[in-house]
Amino acid sequence: MSNHAERLRDFDAPADIAAWAAKHPSFDDAWDASPSSRHRVWLGAVSGVAVETIAESAAAAFFAVVESAPETEAFEQAVEESVAASDAETAAKLAERCERDAHALGSYRERDRTREAVIARAAGHVCRAFEALRAAESSMESDRLLRARTTASYMGGGVHAFLPAHPGPATLLVTAPASVERGLLVDAVTSAGEAVALLATLVLDTTSLDDAVWDALATS
C-alpha cells in the first residue's frame, strides 16, 4: 500500500477514500486524480496541511455554494462566527443551532425546504470542524503548561522558563500526539469533509466549490 494510503488509514479516513488512494502509486498522482474536494481535504490533512486550513477550506466551499438569501442568512452567519470563534464552546453552540434547524427543516417535503435543510447540515459540519479544532488547540496548550509546571516543580524556578516553544496556530494532524488531541483533529477533518460532500449535492457543477477548497489548500 502506498504511503499516502497508509496515512489515510492510520488517521481513520473514510474507508472509501483510503481504498481509492491505494490505487494510485504516489501522492501527486492521487492529488491530481482526486474525484472530489472531499478526497483532497483528506489528502491535504495527511500530507501536512494545517487542520485550521482544512476547516477554512470547508467554510470557503460553503460560501462558494450558498448564495446570500434571507432563508440562509442565519447559517451563513453561523459559519462566519465559527471561523472567528476562539473557543470550542462558541463553535459547539453554533453547530447545535444549525443542527436543530436542519432537523426541523427536514420534516418538510418542499424542495426549497429540503435544500435549506442540507445547507443547515453543512453549516453544522463546518461549525463542528472548528469546535474540534479549538478543543484540540486548548488541550495541547493545557498539556504544554502542565509539562512546564511539572518541570518547574522539579528544577525550581518560574514556569515560563520551562515552557516548550508554542506550536502556533498551524495545528498539524501528522504531528499531533496519538491521544485526545489527535482524535479531535481527525474529527475536525471528518466534519470538514462531510460539509464539502453535502455542499456538492446542492449544485450540478462543483467548479466554484472545488476552486474554493483547492485554492485554500494550495496556499498552505
Side-chain angles (χ1 to χ4, degrees):
M1 183 180 290
S2 54
N3 288 337
H4 56 283
E6 290 177 359
R7 289 198 298 271
L8 285 164
R9 184 184 60 186
D10 290 343
F11 289 115
D12 300 320
D16 63 309
I17 292 181
W20 167 85
K23 299 176 183 178
H24 298 275
S26 71
F27 175 86
D28 288 342
D29 287 337
W31 182 265
D32 291 340
S34 295
S36 75
S37 288
R38 175 171 168 259
H39 288 68
R40 284 200 174 178
V41 160
W42 275 100
L43 286 171
V46 302
S47 69
V49 174
V51 176
E52 178 130 19
T53 299
I54 298 292
E56 288 172 347
S57 74
F62 182 89
F63 291 116
V65 170
V66 178
E67 298 178 1
S68 296
E71 61 271 18
T72 62
E73 182 178 346
F75 308 125
E76 293 176 76
Q77 182 178 359
V79 170
E80 288 176 352
E81 291 180 7
S82 73
V83 174
S86 59
D87 60 279
E89 183 179 2
T90 297
K93 289 179 179 178
L94 293 165
E96 289 166 4
R97 189 177 74 197
C98 292
E99 290 161 358
R100 285 195 301 270
D101 289 345
H103 180 73
L105 288 164
S107 64
Y108 292 91
R109 294 184 180 275
E110 293 93 335
R111 181 177 178 180
D112 288 346
R113 291 298 182 92
T114 301
R115 177 180 171 82
E116 286 177 49
V118 175
I119 290 172
R121 288 173 58 203
H125 279 301
V126 175
C127 295
R128 289 296 183 194
F130 281 97
E131 175 196 0
L133 172 64
R134 299 306 176 215
E137 291 174 338
S138 177
S139 181
M140 289 178 177
E141 181 62 14
S142 295
D143 181 65
R144 176 172 171 264
L145 291 172
L146 177 60
R147 285 185 283 121
R149 290 191 186 103
T150 301
T151 303
S153 68
Y154 286 118
M155 303 293 292
V159 171
H160 286 83
F162 300 99
L163 276 175
H166 196 286
T171 309
L172 304 182
L173 180 60
V174 293
T175 58
S179 60
V180 172
E181 291 86 358
R182 173 167 154 174
L184 287 167
L185 293 178
V186 168
D187 287 345
V189 177
T190 299
S191 292
E194 291 300 318
V196 168
L198 278 172
L199 291 164
T201 68
L202 296 174
V203 292
L204 294 176
D205 183 357
T206 63
T207 299
S208 294
L209 181 156
D210 293 335
D211 286 347
V213 173
W214 300 356
D215 287 350
L217 298 181
T219 59
S220 180

